[in-house]
Amino acid sequence: MTSSQYELSNPPTDAISSIKFAPTSLRLLVSSWDKNVYLYDTTQNGGKLLQTFPHRAPVLDVCFGDGDEDAYTCGLDWDVRQ
């Protein structure tokens, strides 16, 4: 068994609450207590930040939907977002 480590080039500024890999690619969703969700492409060195999704409160969990294009988040603002 081999393992891989990823060092993100633009990591969250506060504690990470959840990390999920996409079902069919090497995209990575990261939720954080800094009130953001980060989408990374881990095929590029340093995990290229593709997009940041701001929220009103800390984000507790993330997951991908059926594919790599849908993501769901939930946080302390009591919202579940797609």
Side-chain angles (χ1 to χ4, degrees):
M1 175 185 258
T2 63
S3 65
S4 297
Q5 293 184 4
Y6 296 99
E7 185 172 337
L8 302 174
S9 58
N10 295 309
T13 58
D14 203 343
I16 292 173
S17 55
S18 181
I19 298 174
K20 298 289 189 305
F21 275 100
T24 60
S25 73
L26 289 178
R27 287 188 172 183
L28 182 69
L29 270 178
V30 178
S31 61
S32 174
W33 282 80
D34 69 2
K35 302 178 186 176
N36 290 298
V37 171
Y38 300 85
L39 177 63
Y40 294 95
D41 178 1
T42 61
T43 61
Q44 300 192 22
N45 192 19
K48 180 182 177 189
L49 179 63
L50 299 176
Q51 196 164 358
T52 302
F53 303 95
H55 287 62
R56 295 179 303 199
V59 186
L60 301 179
D61 202 8
V62 293
C63 69
F64 282 95
D66 289 335
D68 298 353
E69 301 301 320
D70 292 322
Y72 298 89
T73 67
C74 64
L76 291 178
D77 58 3
W78 294 46
D79 283 345
V80 175
R81 297 182 186 188
Q82 180 180 14

